[in-house]
Amino acid sequence: MKSIIVPTDVAVAFLVREGASKAQAQRWIYNRSKTGRLTNHGKSGNGQARWDLAEIDALIKK
């Protein structure tokens, strides 16, 4: 998958499409970012976070 940087709500929608609930998707992103397995390509706070869909896709497939 090509690297596409998106806001959190789009990343959550991507994970929901893959079969997660909205709450599961939000928790999954939060947990992976806190452990350093998922990189925030934006800023922290107030909807400034940005995520790479290719990175999320690779983590799902692991």
Side-chain angles (χ1 to χ4, degrees):
M1 173 181 265
K2 183 180 174 188
S3 179
I4 302 169
I5 307 300
V6 296
T8 301
D9 58 343
V10 175
V12 166
F14 177 78
L15 289 168
V16 167
R17 193 190 78 190
E18 296 293 322
S21 71
K22 182 178 178 182
Q24 287 173 325
Q26 290 169 328
R27 191 169 40 253
W28 188 90
I29 290 170
Y30 175 80
N31 289 338
R32 297 314 179 283
S33 68
K34 290 301 174 196
T35 59
R37 294 171 61 196
L38 184 61
T39 305
N40 178 1
H41 295 277
K43 299 175 183 174
S44 61
N46 292 344
Q48 299 296 315
R50 300 291 181 261
W51 311 100
D52 185 349
L53 287 184
E55 191 177 355
I56 291 172
D57 191 45
L59 284 172
I60 291 171
K61 294 191 186 327
K62 274 188 171 180

